[in-house]
Amino acid sequence: MIDVDKWAEIYATVKKHKLRTALTAFGVFWGIFMLVLLLGAGKGLEHGITNDFNIAKNAVFVWTQRTSVPYMGLKAGRFVHLTNDDVKAIQEQLPEVGILSPSNGLDGTFTVSYANKNSSFNVSGDYPEMLYVDPLTISTGRFINRIDIEEKRKVAVIGPRVQEVLFKEGVDPIGKYINIKGSYFQVVGKFTPVGKGEDIVYASQTIYIPNTTLQQTFNQPNRIGHFKIIPAPGVPAEVVEEKVKTLLAQRHQVAPTDLKAFGSANVEKEFKDVQGLFAGISGFSWIVSIGTIIAGIIGVGNIMLIVVKERTKEIGIRKALGATPWSVISLILQESVVITSIAGISGLIVGTGLVALINYLMVRFEVDAGFFASPEVDPQVALMAVVLLVVMGAIAGLIPATKAARVNPVEALKDE
């Protein structure tokens, strides 16, 4: 590799056939370029979709619906109501549940007022543990705490849209009292929703109050709307989902075969499905790109065969003067590796640069492309591409190099 004469010969050969070399190398360049571009776009799509998972990746949600099967003398069609006793039962009987956050909400939206301003907002009764499941950024003040729950305090945490509508610009809402359906609640915090799209719109106009306060103030005694659950470490979300629904079915006399009495959402399963999708996209990108690279490598191999044929007499003279087979092989291999490496690294640089430019423009102009965000090239992919180029370049030159090493000096000198 450090033989200056060999490098000079390679440079002279490439310079002598510039167009032929460029056209041959373009196949390798295009293959690496497409690989980087496809993988970068795949990452952008992955980031865009996973950013929508603005809740814990292993969260489970369980709620009730109407029964569809008669059981123990009870007719089908009855609505199952969750209670505070269900919370205790889950905590005591299911060690697989790591975090349990009961939640309740006032049906629909309710008029909330402050001073002479009013509007309709969502009101949700929750527990402090909710932040483990559905994280919010508390921008000012605090969230609901355990003392609020135990003492049934009339405190509220508001979203940015609530502040925008009810309070004048520049007014700090902390400590102010807002009227929710005839009852006054003190604002103790303001949050910024995490995520994007419709989720942010809904969350920004939501008011969180202690669930125990909601039950007492708005005549919903001993009533729970749904459960937000995080499994204990090492426990699959699917196991927790099934055990919670089974326990609730036993407690509320629901038939074990009734699949409609309880609704649930398993975020972990959905997230794994999405990850599987992107693994498939990445695999497809590799297959397409490697196919293109192989086509380019075959082109390089064919050109090297032509090079060997053109330089048959030269190779014969080298061998007649004592050149070893390895010195001939290394010359051809080195030329092949140089062509593929330069072409491939050029494709890698151009592809990476294009992906970086797209990312920069999206950030610079604050482009919201929905399911596409922050395209990037994984450094490991770049390293694998470089290694692939070297290996492919060596393979491309192997057959021509072997042929060159077998040249008979006497026959080569007679070659025209």
Side-chain angles (χ1 to χ4, degrees):
M1 291 296 293
I2 60 174
D3 191 329
V4 177
D5 291 335
K6 283 186 179 180
W7 284 105
E9 286 186 51
I10 292 172
Y11 175 74
T13 303
V14 171
K15 185 177 180 181
K16 184 178 179 181
H17 303 286
K18 287 183 280 191
L19 180 60
R20 184 178 74 181
T21 303
L23 292 175
T24 302
F26 181 76
V28 179
F29 166 88
W30 189 252
I32 293 294
F33 174 78
M34 288 302 298
L35 173 64
V36 171
L37 198 60
L38 288 173
L39 292 178
K43 277 292 182 182
L45 191 61
E46 182 178 355
H47 291 160
I49 292 180
T50 53
N51 285 345
D52 283 344
F53 283 86
N54 55 332
I55 55 180
K57 302 299 188 295
N58 61 341
V60 174
F61 297 85
V62 177
W63 61 90
T64 58
Q65 301 172 149
R66 294 191 180 277
T67 59
S68 61
V69 179
Y71 187 66
M72 298 180 67
L74 300 172
K75 295 182 179 180
R78 64 188 175 92
F79 197 90
V80 179
H81 293 286
L82 299 174
T83 68
N84 294 332
D85 292 333
D86 292 325
V87 178
K88 295 178 182 178
I90 292 174
Q91 291 173 334
E92 293 174 358
Q93 300 181 38
L94 297 180
E96 295 86 358
V97 174
I99 295 173
L100 177 64
S101 178
S103 182
N104 207 3
L106 300 180
D107 295 332
T109 56
F110 284 88
T111 300
V112 180
S113 61
Y114 173 75
N116 60 344
K117 293 186 177 182
N118 63 78
S119 187
S120 296
F121 299 106
N122 310 303
V123 179
S124 179
D126 281 277
Y127 281 70
E129 290 79 7
M130 189 208 79
L131 292 181
Y132 291 100
V133 183
D134 192 0
L136 304 171
T137 301
I138 305 300
S139 52
T140 309
R142 64 174 178 85
F143 193 64
I144 298 164
N145 60 32
R146 182 53 56 181
I147 298 177
D148 296 331
I149 296 294
E150 293 173 354
E151 297 183 0
K152 302 178 182 179
R153 290 177 173 178
K154 288 187 176 181
V155 295
V157 182
I158 64 175
R161 179 61 180 167
V162 180
Q163 178 182 4
E164 180 184 341
V165 173
L166 296 184
F167 298 91
K168 294 181 180 179
E169 186 176 354
V171 174
D172 185 1
I174 304 300
K176 305 296 191 297
Y177 286 84
I178 57 176
N179 187 320
I180 303 176
K181 202 181 178 184
S183 297
Y184 285 91
F185 286 74
Q186 185 180 34
V187 177
V188 296
K190 189 189 77 171
F191 69 87
T192 301
V194 178
K196 60 181 181 178
E198 295 181 1
D199 292 337
I200 280 190
V201 174
Y202 180 85
S204 66
Q205 54 189 10
T206 296
I207 300 173
Y208 291 100
I209 64 176
N211 193 31
T212 51
T213 307
L214 183 145
Q215 291 177 335
Q216 177 177 275
T217 305
F218 300 109
N219 195 30
Q220 295 191 25
N222 199 30
R223 188 68 61 86
I224 299 294
H226 65 275
F227 291 122
K228 301 173 182 178
I229 304 167
I230 297 290
V235 179
E238 186 177 7
V239 172
V240 171
E241 178 185 15
E242 187 62 32
K243 290 202 171 190
V244 168
K245 290 167 71 173
T246 300
L247 177 61
L248 293 176
Q250 294 171 352
R251 290 181 52 79
H252 293 276
Q253 298 178 322
V254 174
T257 57
D258 192 344
L259 302 178
K260 295 183 178 180
F262 298 98
S264 62
N266 186 335
V267 179
E268 184 177 77
K269 181 178 182 301
E270 295 177 6
F271 189 69
K272 286 182 178 179
D273 290 343
V274 170
Q275 287 183 314
L277 170 65
F278 288 116
I281 292 175
S282 177
F284 175 76
S285 300
W286 275 100
I287 291 172
V288 171
S289 301
I290 287 179
T292 306
I293 293 170
I294 289 175
I297 292 298
I298 291 174
V300 172
N302 287 333
I303 290 301
M304 296 311 299
L305 284 171
I306 294 173
V307 169
V308 170
K309 184 171 180 60
E310 289 176 346
R311 299 171 64 180
T312 300
K313 184 173 290 188
E314 175 193 331
I315 293 171
I317 294 173
R318 285 173 177 271
K319 296 190 72 174
L321 293 175
T324 63
W326 171 245
S327 67
V328 176
I329 290 175
S330 63
L331 177 64
I332 303 301
L333 282 179
Q334 194 168 326
E335 185 171 339
S336 175
V337 169
V338 166
I339 293 174
T340 55
S341 297
I342 292 177
I345 291 173
S346 299
L348 183 64
I349 293 173
V350 174
T352 304
L354 182 57
V355 171
L357 177 62
I358 293 173
N359 186 38
Y360 169 76
L361 293 176
M362 291 183 69
V363 174
R364 176 69 176 78
F365 296 102
E366 298 181 354
V367 177
D368 185 1
F371 293 125
F372 189 84
S374 304
E376 64 178 10
V377 178
D378 190 335
Q380 291 184 346
V381 172
L383 180 61
M384 288 175 62
V386 172
V387 173
L388 181 67
L389 288 172
V390 175
V391 173
M392 289 291 192
I395 293 174
L398 189 59
I399 295 176
T402 304
K403 183 177 180 180
R406 292 175 179 172
V407 169
N408 186 301
V410 176
E411 294 180 0
L413 292 174
K414 294 179 181 180
D415 185 70
E416 295 295 335

